[in-house]
Amino acid sequence: MRAFFAARPELTATPLRALPGLARDLGLASLAAKDESGRFGLNAFKLLGARFTIETLLAEGGLRRGATVVCASEGNHGRAVARAAREAGCSARVYMAHDAAAARATAIAGEGAEVIRVDGSYDDAVRVLQKDADAHGWTIVSDTAWPGYERIPFLIMLGYTRMMDEIRDQGFDAVFVQGGVGGLLCAVASWCAFHTPRCKVISVEPTDAACLKASAEAGHPVAVHGPLNTTMAGLRNREVSPTAFASLLPNVDLFMAIDDGWAHDAMRSLAHPMPGDASIAAGASGSAALGGLLALCKDESVQQFRRELGIGAQSRVLAIVSEGVTDPDLWASVTTAAR
């Protein structure tokens, strides 16, 4: 993976943004945001995994130019796969939940992909695309694994570790990461376990889509049920990726589930920063990790966990900002509301 990116100097690193004012407000030594809102010309980190995976498959002969690749997505992964497929001379089909935001579907179509709406959730879209891919011989490029389909999700996660390679000398004490199906979380937690084992890793996901937290409590993958009303659309799934979960479970120090209000507070904090802090336009999913930190520092009901993690006045903390603005209407509504 490092050789892949070293051979492509045009794939430049995303910035690490300092937030000293917010750090003081939260009682931390320092706080930084890894700003993935402009990764390789897209507005989310996902192209790290999609481009590395599709070009690896081409080099190995597992994919040919002109072939069709397919995936399921709530937005960012689908757009990344569509872009990587187009640049590789392939076509793409992206399966989305029936209620995925129109702006995200339009962005995917704008990369040249065909968007297929599916009745049900993201997890239902995964099952539909599996049947279609089997019937037509298409190549699935999914960040969710299932029995017999593990290597491509592994390659995607390996690509994600480039994010941490870019800041490997920073020496953080804790990193807050979006949960989702577990791909990014697994990549970050595995990287930290190998390179900086003293760094605490905290998973953050929506309260009504907290499949990682539920699975961690059960000790094995479980699905969550009920309505998925969260605005953290990129984290709106009911099931974990089993392969990712097995690897991340021993390396994550805390699984958090937060209400949308904390993610919205984080969106506003990034959009209207304190004096001296960087400004970042980030969506609800992109702001979720910072939302988890805000909750941990400000919600009295979870102070026990902050103490157990040892996060305090001497701590250097990193929050992953995994996406920019993918739903402009939501972003405008949230960031113009009173804090």
Side-chain angles (χ1 to χ4, degrees), residues 246-290:
S247 297
L248 66 84
L249 186 58
N251 298 319
V252 174
D253 296 277
L254 179 67
F255 292 86
M256 293 187 70
I258 63 170
D259 294 334
D260 281 19
W262 290 110
H264 294 180
D265 283 349
M267 290 171 68
R268 287 187 284 268
S269 294
L270 293 170
H272 308 293
M274 294 183 175
D277 286 7
S279 174
I280 304 173
S285 296
S287 302
L290 180 59

XYZ file of all heavy atoms in Angstrom, residues 246-290:
313
model
N -14.226 -8.398 13.674
C -13.336 -9.348 14.349
C -11.967 -8.745 14.601
O -11.332 -9.022 15.626
C -13.211 -10.618 13.515
N -11.503 -7.901 13.676
C -10.177 -7.304 13.823
C -10.174 -6.107 14.752
O -9.196 -5.862 15.467
C -9.650 -6.876 12.446
O -9.489 -7.997 11.597
N -11.257 -5.337 14.746
C -11.256 -4.110 15.539
C -11.618 -4.329 16.992
O -11.223 -3.530 17.869
C -12.176 -3.061 14.904
C -13.694 -3.334 14.854
C -14.395 -2.961 16.141
C -14.307 -2.539 13.688
N -12.366 -5.378 17.285
C -12.897 -5.561 18.637
C -11.825 -5.462 19.725
O -12.017 -4.762 20.715
C -13.659 -6.887 18.732
C -14.395 -7.136 20.057
C -15.407 -6.019 20.328
C -15.101 -8.483 20.032
N -10.663 -6.129 19.576
C -9.668 -6.028 20.646
C -8.895 -4.719 20.667
O -8.143 -4.463 21.614
C -8.727 -7.199 20.353
C -8.877 -7.473 18.910
C -10.272 -7.103 18.539
N -9.076 -3.873 19.652
C -8.247 -2.676 19.522
C -8.999 -1.363 19.716
O -8.401 -0.293 19.607
C -7.582 -2.663 18.135
C -6.653 -3.844 17.930
O -5.916 -4.216 18.834
N -6.697 -4.437 16.746
N -10.290 -1.435 20.000
C -11.087 -0.231 20.249
C -11.359 -0.131 21.743
O -11.793 -1.087 22.379
C -12.405 -0.265 19.452
C -13.294 0.918 19.825
C -12.120 -0.250 17.954
N -11.099 1.050 22.302
C -11.189 1.231 23.749
C -12.577 1.614 24.225
O -12.922 1.368 25.385
C -10.178 2.296 24.183
C -8.750 1.859 23.922
O -8.192 1.136 24.762
O -8.202 2.213 22.857
N -13.383 2.238 23.352
C -14.734 2.621 23.750
C -15.615 2.717 22.514
O -15.206 3.263 21.492
C -14.721 3.985 24.457
C -16.088 4.532 24.908
C -16.680 3.661 26.010
C -15.966 5.985 25.384
N -16.820 2.152 22.609
C -17.829 2.266 21.563
C -18.898 3.239 22.052
O -19.586 2.967 23.031
C -18.451 0.914 21.249
C -17.499 -0.064 20.599
C -16.671 -0.866 21.369
C -17.440 -0.176 19.216
C -15.797 -1.763 20.767
C -16.571 -1.063 18.606
C -15.741 -1.866 19.379
N -19.030 4.369 21.361
C -19.996 5.394 21.736
C -21.144 5.442 20.739
O -20.930 5.274 19.534
C -19.344 6.778 21.766
C -18.316 7.002 22.836
S -17.785 8.766 22.850
C -19.284 9.556 23.476
N -22.343 5.726 21.236
C -23.495 6.027 20.380
C -23.995 7.398 20.796
O -24.244 7.644 21.981
C -24.581 4.972 20.548
N -24.128 8.308 19.822
C -24.529 9.674 20.129
C -25.795 10.059 19.380
O -26.072 9.557 18.289
C -23.409 10.685 19.804
C -23.082 10.685 18.292
C -22.165 10.405 20.629
C -22.168 11.822 17.858
N -26.564 10.957 19.974
C -27.712 11.532 19.294
C -27.240 12.514 18.232
O -26.129 13.058 18.304
C -28.614 12.253 20.297
C -29.254 11.297 21.299
O -29.414 10.105 20.950
O -29.568 11.743 22.419
N -28.103 12.799 17.273
C -27.742 13.717 16.199
C -27.340 15.091 16.717
O -26.526 15.782 16.092
C -28.908 13.860 15.224
C -29.018 12.706 14.256
O -28.444 11.635 14.527
O -29.680 12.870 13.213
N -27.903 15.499 17.844
C -27.597 16.820 18.386
C -26.114 17.045 18.601
O -25.598 18.157 18.367
N -25.388 16.008 19.027
C -23.950 16.156 19.238
C -23.217 16.323 17.904
O -22.276 17.129 17.803
C -23.392 14.960 19.994
C -23.822 14.891 21.421
C -24.676 13.991 21.992
C -23.428 15.789 22.465
N -24.836 14.256 23.331
C -24.080 15.350 23.655
C -22.593 16.902 22.530
C -23.908 16.003 24.878
C -22.420 17.560 23.748
C -23.075 17.104 24.902
N -23.628 15.584 16.888
C -23.016 15.745 15.565
C -23.299 17.134 15.010
O -22.433 17.763 14.389
C -23.525 14.673 14.605
N -24.503 17.641 15.251
C -24.856 18.979 14.782
C -24.063 20.048 15.529
O -23.626 21.049 14.926
C -26.354 19.211 14.933
C -27.177 18.336 14.045
N -28.555 18.375 14.021
C -26.825 17.392 13.121
C -29.014 17.497 13.138
N -27.985 16.891 12.589
N -23.852 19.834 16.842
C -22.999 20.764 17.589
C -21.592 20.789 16.998
O -20.961 21.856 16.895
C -22.925 20.355 19.066
C -24.174 20.719 19.849
O -25.025 21.474 19.315
O -24.306 20.246 20.993
N -21.098 19.618 16.614
C -19.762 19.545 16.017
C -19.726 20.236 14.660
O -18.758 20.931 14.332
C -19.336 18.079 15.887
N -20.783 20.068 13.860
C -20.855 20.761 12.575
C -20.756 22.273 12.770
O -20.028 22.965 12.042
C -22.174 20.420 11.862
C -22.264 19.001 11.356
S -23.931 18.571 10.760
C -24.057 19.591 9.287
N -21.476 22.788 13.761
C -21.449 24.225 14.031
C -20.088 24.668 14.560
O -19.589 25.751 14.212
C -22.565 24.593 15.002
C -23.957 24.549 14.373
C -25.019 25.074 15.326
N -25.341 24.108 16.366
C -26.317 23.212 16.285
N -27.068 23.144 15.199
N -26.561 22.380 17.280
N -19.471 23.832 15.409
C -18.146 24.175 15.948
C -17.112 24.267 14.832
O -16.207 25.113 14.881
C -17.707 23.128 16.967
O -18.546 23.139 18.111
N -17.236 23.419 13.830
C -16.297 23.437 12.708
C -16.602 24.568 11.735
O -15.694 25.182 11.167
C -16.340 22.091 11.982
C -15.821 20.892 12.773
C -16.132 19.590 12.040
C -14.315 21.011 13.014
N -17.879 24.847 11.535
C -18.267 25.896 10.591
C -18.032 27.294 11.162
O -17.732 28.238 10.418
C -19.735 25.733 10.202
N -18.194 27.441 12.484
C -18.028 28.733 13.155
C -17.019 28.558 14.289
O -17.380 28.542 15.471
C -19.369 29.226 13.705
C -20.468 29.239 12.688
N -20.467 30.095 11.606
C -21.593 28.479 12.568
C -21.542 29.888 10.877
N -22.242 28.904 11.433
N -15.737 28.413 13.941
C -14.736 28.046 14.941
C -14.418 29.179 15.909
O -14.677 30.355 15.652
C -13.517 27.709 14.086
C -13.676 28.556 12.855
C -15.156 28.562 12.593
N -13.813 28.783 17.018
C -13.305 29.758 17.978
C -12.108 30.486 17.383
O -11.471 29.985 16.456
C -12.912 29.038 19.273
C -14.082 28.424 20.013
S -13.565 27.665 21.569
C -15.170 27.194 22.247
N -11.779 31.663 17.913
C -10.628 32.401 17.390
C -9.357 31.545 17.381
O -9.041 30.882 18.377
C -10.494 33.574 18.366
C -11.884 33.790 18.870
C -12.481 32.418 18.970
N -8.684 31.532 16.251
C -7.461 30.750 16.117
C -7.661 29.340 15.622
O -6.698 28.657 15.271
N -8.919 28.881 15.592
C -9.207 27.527 15.130
C -9.478 27.519 13.627
O -9.949 28.505 13.056
C -10.432 26.950 15.846
C -10.138 26.559 17.274
O -9.021 26.856 17.756
O -11.016 25.970 17.917
N -9.204 26.379 13.003
C -9.500 26.203 11.588
C -10.997 26.065 11.370
O -11.727 25.584 12.237
C -8.782 24.966 11.058
N -11.444 26.478 10.194
C -12.846 26.316 9.806
C -12.954 25.168 8.811
O -12.161 25.085 7.865
C -13.367 27.605 9.163
O -14.672 27.439 8.665
N -13.917 24.268 9.034
C -14.127 23.120 8.151
C -15.625 22.988 7.887
O -16.433 22.987 8.823
C -13.608 21.811 8.774
C -12.136 21.926 9.160
C -13.810 20.642 7.813
C -11.599 20.725 9.926
N -15.991 22.886 6.628
C -17.376 22.604 6.264
C -17.533 21.090 6.186
O -17.003 20.454 5.279
C -17.722 23.256 4.929
N -18.231 20.522 7.141
C -18.341 19.066 7.244
C -19.783 18.655 7.474
O -20.537 19.338 8.177
C -17.470 18.535 8.382
N -20.178 17.520 6.900
C -21.508 16.978 7.082
C -21.675 16.311 8.431
O -20.754 16.265 9.248
N -22.860 15.757 8.656
C -23.162 15.151 9.951
C -22.296 13.923 10.219
O -21.769 13.755 11.326
C -24.641 14.789 10.019
N -22.128 13.062 9.221
C -21.261 11.897 9.411
C -19.824 12.334 9.605
O -19.103 11.804 10.458
C -21.363 10.956 8.210
O -22.655 10.431 8.080
N -19.394 13.304 8.809
C -18.027 13.785 8.920
C -17.729 14.400 10.267
O -16.589 14.370 10.742
N -18.746 14.974 10.900
C -18.571 15.634 12.198
C -18.835 14.696 13.375
O -18.655 15.103 14.529
C -19.525 16.834 12.288
O -19.303 17.742 11.232
N -19.238 13.468 13.106
C -19.659 12.565 14.182
C -18.556 12.278 15.182
O -18.805 12.209 16.395
C -20.184 11.255 13.584
N -17.329 12.088 14.707
C -16.230 11.778 15.630
C -16.018 12.927 16.610
O -15.861 12.714 17.822
C -14.958 11.483 14.850
N -16.014 14.148 16.092
C -15.895 15.309 16.980
C -17.118 15.392 17.884
O -17.002 15.760 19.062
C -15.743 16.587 16.165
C -15.617 17.877 16.973
C -14.411 17.828 17.908
C -15.528 19.093 16.054
